[in-house]
Amino acid sequence: MKKICILGSTGSIGRQSIEVCKALRFPVVGLAAHSNTELLAQQIHALRPKAACIFDQSQYAELKEKTDGTGVQLFTGMEGLCQLASMTECDMVLNAVVGMVGLQPTLAAIDAGKAVALANKETLVTGGKLVISAAKEKGVPILPVDSEHSAIFQSMQGNAQNRVKKIILTASGGPFYGKTRKDLETVTVKQALCHPNWSMGAKITIDSATLMNKGLELIEACWLFDQKPEDVEIVIHRESVVHSLVEYEDHAVMAQLGVPDMKLPIQYALTYPKRLCCDTQRLSLTKYGQLTFAEPDEETFICLSACKEAMRRSGVYPAIVNGANEEAVALFLNGKIRFTDIGRLVMDSLAIQYDKEDFAISDILEADRLARNFVRASV
Ligand code: NDP
Ligand code: MG
């Protein structure tokens, strides 16, 4: 039994993680959200964690009032999020917040020696180098929750001695697979929020529609599995059944398959190396009949090329394209820019000059700020 702290507990992954913890009977000792006081308070009453954090300070008083009598210790802001991530009572931090705001609490958890189950891909995209070296130094595991990375991790079990030749990262292709650049010019927010296979938070759903999500995942895979961007192949697989694959020296290719359901990767991160019964549907290959694979269209979905280029340059460039994307997606969701502007802004953000071989967290935060300012100034 592990004591779990869930950051982003009110979100899509956070809510499913609570279900998984309940089924496993793992105590949830910490919860955090941005501003959804209503749901966070409900979760506190139901789960009785030791502590909780509401990031938005203006919501603190209301949360305090709503949780009166529960004995929960409340925190707020980034400092509170980091305190929660390093609390003594917890064994593992499941980071499911959205955006690069997840980086600092991940580092705080590692510093406190906590195992990390990582859904927040922006943590590794922006701070991969710092996070991986801190985890190595502290000897703490980082267990992937992202379904593709969980599949890669699962396909690597028993192969620690063997060199990976290539990682094959599958992508559903999102709602606009097969569309041309011209088609994409008139895409509405509602259309972009309609993912064919997965029900997720708004930001990652837009990222899946632009294929930025796959670009972020390529960077995430490079850090998690120590690979170069040219050794990660992206393959469009519309059915989302083969969650990703690993090719070895002898050209054997190992994969993990299953119905699209985040509960399995969440649970595997919590119970690794054990496999326990999981409340997901079983895969019937004959029901699917056939599985399809195709090359991505990187000329239409330019976010993918931008992420590859950012990772090739390395340094703070992944943080720059990520920051530009976070800002552009928020503007798109608020009706301020067109769908196709997202890719253009992410690509153009690579023109920002910020070359640093050795960089610290302050450089990542600065790169993020520059990228966001660049996007705001460009629209
Ligand atoms: P959601 O938008 O559904 O949820 C985000 C959660 O993060 C909410 O609980 C939100 O709180 C919280 N949050 C946001 N900012 C802060 C902050 N500053 N401090 C504390 N909490 C914060 O996102 P998802 O669950 O879809 O995604 C979460 C992460 O997991 C993302 O990085 C995504 O890329 C990754 N992921 C998601 C998958 C999915 O199936 N959904 C699959 C694979 C990866 P509030 O409700 O108060 O706003
Ligand atoms: Mg994924």
Side-chain angles (χ1 to χ4, degrees):
M1 253 197 343
K2 281 183 198 133
K3 287 181 250 155
I4 314 290
C5 173
I6 305 175
L7 311 182
S9 62
T10 52
S12 164
I13 293 288
R15 282 178 275 125
Q16 294 179 79
S17 301
I18 290 178
E19 291 306 310
V20 171
C21 285
K22 274 190 192 160
L24 293 170
R25 296 177 190 277
F26 279 12
V28 177
V29 294
L31 293 169
H34 178 267
S35 47
N36 189 345
T37 316
E38 194 68 41
L39 183 54
L40 183 59
Q42 279 176 29
Q43 293 177 341
I44 292 170
H45 280 281
L47 299 164
R48 294 302 179 107
K50 290 261 176 206
C53 175
I54 186 88
F55 188 86
D56 181 351
Q57 310 198 352
S58 69
Q59 300 286 314
Y60 181 82
E62 197 182 326
L63 183 67
K64 198 159 179 57
E65 195 185 325
K66 285 196 160 93
T67 55
D68 194 31
T70 58
V72 68
Q73 186 183 3
L74 293 183
F75 299 111
T76 185
M78 181 53 84
E79 208 183 301
L81 208 52
C82 293
Q83 273 176 287
L84 189 78
S86 44
M87 66 195 268
T88 326
E89 291 84 356
C90 131
D91 302 314
M92 177 182 255
V93 173
L94 195 159
N95 189 347
V97 305
V98 60
M100 79 90 72
V101 76
L103 174 60
Q104 288 171 85
T106 304
L107 287 168
I110 294 169
D111 197 43
K114 313 289 178 196
V116 177
L118 198 59
N120 176 255
K121 61 192 80 186
E122 296 90 346
T123 278
L124 286 175
V125 170
T126 56
K129 191 174 177 181
L130 304 183
V131 171
I132 296 299
S133 63
K136 272 194 188 138
E137 198 180 303
K138 285 277 174 181
V140 301
I142 299 195
L143 296 142
V145 169
D146 210 346
S147 58
E148 295 78 0
H149 305 75
S150 175
I152 294 162
F153 182 61
Q154 293 179 57
S155 305
M156 286 181 168
Q157 297 309 308
N159 279 300
Q161 312 298 322
N162 295 314
R163 196 183 80 85
V164 169
K165 197 170 173 99
K166 183 170 81 177
I167 282 177
I168 303 165
L169 203 58
T170 53
S172 73
F176 307 130
Y177 174 68
K179 301 275 187 224
T180 63
R181 248 178 142 155
K182 184 135 189 57
D183 297 333
L184 295 184
E185 274 166 18
T186 52
V187 155
T188 63
V189 171
K190 199 172 161 203
Q191 287 168 327
L193 282 175
C194 214
H195 196 278
N197 302 345
W198 299 94
S199 159
M200 311 176 285
K203 192 256 177 186
I204 184 177
T205 306
I206 301 301
D207 288 350
S208 300
T210 58
L211 290 205
M212 182 71 186
N213 184 49
K214 217 43 63 178
L216 298 176
E217 289 184 352
L218 177 138
I219 300 172
E220 186 186 9
C222 289
W223 287 116
L224 275 172
F225 308 113
D226 195 17
Q227 296 296 308
K228 294 194 184 73
E230 52 273 26
D231 295 327
V232 182
E233 182 188 1
I234 311 285
V235 172
I236 303 289
H237 167 47
R238 295 295 283 159
E239 298 80 13
S240 299
V241 165
V242 181
H243 295 307
S244 278
L245 317 87
V246 180
E247 184 190 353
Y248 290 93
E249 201 76 89
D250 58 358
H251 300 175
V253 179
M254 313 293 279
Q256 185 253 327
L257 284 71
V259 295
D261 187 336
M262 286 308 294
K263 279 207 177 132
L264 173 66
I266 292 170
Q267 174 167 306
Y268 191 69
L270 298 186
T271 64
Y272 170 80
K274 276 201 179 130
R275 290 186 181 276
L276 300 178
C277 182
C278 187
D279 175 29
T280 62
Q281 277 181 34
R282 294 173 69 187
L283 174 65
S284 162
L285 282 173
T286 49
K287 194 187 114 210
Y288 278 92
Q290 58 181 353
L291 298 175
T292 58
F293 302 94
E295 274 180 28
D297 172 0
E298 285 188 44
E299 274 170 31
T300 302
F301 298 93
I302 53 176
C303 287
L304 195 49
S305 324
C307 287
K308 282 186 184 171
E309 174 59 19
M311 192 57 192
R312 259 183 237 119
R313 289 193 208 171
S314 211
V316 297
Y317 279 96
I320 287 179
V321 290
N322 179 75
N325 181 60
E326 285 192 27
E327 196 63 34
V329 170
L331 289 169
F332 172 67
L333 286 169
N334 286 321
K336 301 272 194 272
I337 59 171
R338 285 179 309 172
F339 182 78
T340 41
D341 291 331
I342 302 174
R344 181 179 57 76
L345 289 163
V346 168
M347 188 56 101
D348 289 355
S349 72
L350 284 165
I352 295 172
Q353 295 291 318
Y354 203 114
D355 291 315
K356 275 217 156 191
E357 277 282 303
D358 263 334
F359 57 90
I361 180 90
S362 53
D363 293 301
I364 298 173
L365 299 175
E366 177 61 7
D368 178 70
R369 198 185 61 79
L370 287 175
R372 287 170 193 270
N373 286 348
F374 169 82
V375 167
R376 278 196 291 265
S378 314
V379 299

